[in-house]
Amino acid sequence: MASCGVLDGRTCWELAPGGMLLGRFTLAADEGRVDPRVSREHARIARGEGGWRLEELGGRNRIRLNGVVVEGPAALQPGDVIRLGSTLLLFCGVPAGPGPARGEPELLGEGPAMRAVHQALSAVAPRGNSVLIIGETGTGKELAARALHRGSGRPGKLVALNCGGLAEGIIESELFGHVRGAFTGAVASREGLFREAEQGTLFLDEIGEMPPGLQVKLLRVLETRTVRPIGTAHEVPIDVRLVAATHRDMVAAVREGRFRADLYARLAQWSIALPPLRERREDLPLLIRHLLGRLGEEGRALEVALLEALLLHPWPLNVRGLYNFLSMAVVGTAPGAPLELSPRLEQALAAERALGQGAEPAPAPGREEDAPSGVRVPGAAELEAVLERFQGKVTQAARHLGCSRQQLYRWLEAYGLTVERFRPFSGEAVGGRRPAKEPFPGPEGDEGA
């Protein structure tokens, strides 16, 4: 197992059998930079009876695990996000050896899940097996088909058809072709995609949407290796490799009678499951750098609150959704300034979470009722971003959020935050004195001790 710093995505520490101390100097970046908000001995990752555990050592700033303040020892699982001060760590499994070659962003990745995908692609690419690619929208199913075609050595081209939303007659004509006058509107003959992909690869996306009547005809083509254009009585031999893709559970579709079992067996001579982005968080730093480069923003900095939000987001639209979000962040930020988690971006993430859940996101318990009428309640990430911007100055942060200082302190308490973690040290840059604490307002608004 390894704990990886994701501010740059390159600094990694392999855990020794005895664990690892998380402190200001043990987490220093390669060039010696340290986070002054991390204590000298802030936390420890150690082995317990059930595996690795995260233990707090009494640092002046609280520790967050997957966005929640840690209270006592906590079990760690691959993909967990740890935050200490302004430092983010990703607890993950990283196998030895070089990562796969980098190409299209949806297929980028050096973690275990994407290594398995690239191994599966390499194993079947030079063979003639039909391949079924399974994955959510935005995971790169068509790009995987392209990789298979490139690795096949077949001299023909890759031809693609999306079966979703097309009428049965249109799909049949597109696939098998027709002769002139075969049906109304057939003013010219057409070869069809099977013949267009001769000695190449035919990619059928959303194969789970194919009408039942056409499933029978496709099965016959795969069995006889011939196609019969609409309007003819003769069959034409073909040499085509078939790659299909779907986001549906095909086993359930077969069991429920919506998809033919014999056709499924023909298509799934080799299956490849593309993992959703939420299950491969270790690839996010690489993807973020690559996608920012595509946007002409290579090397653009991201503030820690935004990075944490990106790591914890479920990404129902996967890499496609990540690219759209980064594009929005770039447009909404002044040129050259670090990308930060603005209210607009936080709302965009909330809307996408609702898209994945099929419902409006519910507010955190106890938040709305604690706010005065007319005051918008910020999320934890937005509150952190504002305090980062104003370096823990409560009066300025409260003015920016349109609330009182007392209300801001109540939000801090609800989220398990303290203003000290956002303030620069008043002493030396490293190992200096702790900043003076701002008094916490009493319940009636008076300044307490």
Side-chain angles (χ1 to χ4, degrees):
M1 302 296 291
S3 179
C4 298
V6 299
L7 292 180
D8 58 8
R10 301 183 182 93
T11 305
C12 298
W13 297 274
E14 183 176 353
L15 290 177
M20 178 180 176
L21 174 69
L22 305 181
R24 186 180 307 156
F25 300 108
T26 59
L27 297 178
D30 290 340
E31 65 272 23
R33 287 184 295 106
V34 298
D35 182 354
R37 294 185 179 135
V38 174
S39 302
R40 291 175 181 271
E41 296 186 356
H42 206 123
R44 178 188 293 113
I45 296 177
R47 277 196 182 278
E49 292 184 0
W52 294 102
R53 299 189 310 171
L54 177 65
E55 301 174 352
E56 189 176 11
L57 298 180
R60 67 183 182 88
N61 290 314
R62 304 301 300 273
I63 303 171
R64 283 166 49 148
L65 179 63
N66 297 327
V68 179
V69 174
V70 172
E71 299 288 350
L76 289 174
Q77 299 294 330
D80 281 347
V81 179
I82 305 168
R83 178 167 175 179
L84 304 89
S86 296
T87 298
L88 286 174
L89 305 171
L90 188 65
F91 186 78
C92 57
V94 181
R102 299 180 179 184
E104 297 291 348
E106 286 83 350
L107 297 181
L108 284 179
E110 298 176 349
M114 288 309 295
R115 287 174 185 265
V117 168
H118 283 276
Q119 289 169 359
L121 289 171
S122 299
V124 76
R127 302 181 179 275
N129 302 60
S130 297
V131 180
L132 179 63
I133 303 171
I134 304 167
E136 298 177 4
T137 181
T139 52
K141 295 187 290 294
E142 184 167 354
L143 296 175
R146 291 181 192 172
L148 286 169
H149 179 65
R150 283 195 302 268
S152 70
R154 299 179 68 85
K157 60 182 180 179
L158 172 70
V159 180
L161 175 68
N162 191 318
C163 302
L166 295 179
E168 181 173 343
I170 294 176
I171 300 176
E172 183 177 6
S173 175
E174 287 287 323
L175 288 177
F176 308 139
H178 60 262
V179 296
R180 180 181 177 183
F183 51 84
T184 303
V187 297
S189 297
R190 179 170 182 174
E191 285 192 337
L193 298 183
F194 266 107
R195 295 170 68 185
E196 186 179 340
E198 179 66 17
Q199 294 190 313
T201 304
L202 177 61
F203 173 57
L204 298 182
D205 199 3
E206 298 304 341
I207 190 70
E209 309 296 325
M210 181 170 282
L214 197 54
Q215 292 178 29
V216 179
K217 297 178 182 179
L218 177 59
L219 176 62
R220 175 171 173 77
V221 169
L222 295 179
E223 289 176 340
T224 65
R225 292 292 166 178
T226 62
V227 295
R228 179 182 296 176
I230 300 174
T232 69
H234 66 277
E235 295 183 334
V236 180
I238 57 169
D239 175 15
V240 175
R241 187 204 196 151
L242 189 66
V243 177
T246 182
H247 70 283
R248 297 192 178 278
D249 184 341
M250 294 299 289
V251 174
V254 170
R255 190 169 52 243
E256 296 167 7
R258 293 181 285 108
F259 201 86
R260 293 183 63 93
D262 45 8
L263 178 56
Y264 173 75
R266 285 280 182 176
L267 294 174
Q269 294 177 351
W270 184 262
S271 296
I272 299 175
L274 299 182
L277 191 52
R278 62 182 172 275
E279 294 180 4
R280 54 184 189 106
R281 287 175 175 170
E282 66 274 10
D283 293 329
L284 271 165
L286 173 65
L287 287 166
I288 290 170
R289 289 198 304 272
H290 181 87
L291 294 175
L292 284 176
R294 282 182 55 184
L295 292 167
E297 300 289 337
E298 188 172 4
R300 189 76 171 265
L302 285 79
E303 291 192 347
V304 65
L306 177 58
L307 275 169
E308 185 179 25
L310 295 182
L311 284 170
L312 295 176
H313 189 63
W315 297 113
L317 299 180
N318 294 290
V319 180
R320 192 175 300 154
L322 175 61
Y323 178 81
N324 292 341
F325 180 84
L326 291 174
S327 177
M328 187 186 306
V330 168
V331 170
T333 306
L339 302 180
E340 61 180 7
L341 189 61
S342 65
R344 177 189 291 272
L345 293 181
E346 190 166 78
Q347 291 168 6
L349 291 176
E352 192 174 83
R353 281 193 299 272
L355 177 67
Q357 298 165 355
E360 290 296 322
R367 284 176 51 194
E368 295 293 346
E369 58 267 31
D370 290 340
S373 176
V375 175
R376 185 181 65 83
V377 179
E382 181 186 351
L383 185 60
E384 289 185 50
V386 171
L387 287 165
E388 290 271 7
R389 175 179 175 182
F390 294 107
Q391 297 185 317
K393 297 175 182 175
V394 175
T395 300
Q396 295 181 24
R399 185 181 300 119
H400 177 83
L401 292 169
C403 67
S404 67
R405 296 173 69 254
Q406 291 78 13
Q407 180 61 57
L408 190 144
Y409 272 115
R410 283 193 286 271
W411 288 335
L412 283 169
E413 186 175 17
Y415 289 127
L417 303 173
T418 62
V419 292
E420 286 80 10
R421 64 178 289 185
F422 303 99
R423 292 174 175 168
F425 269 58
S426 58
E428 301 172 3
V430 176
R433 299 184 304 276
R434 295 171 62 175
K437 291 187 178 181
E438 183 166 340
F440 193 99
E444 304 300 325
D446 297 328
E447 298 294 342

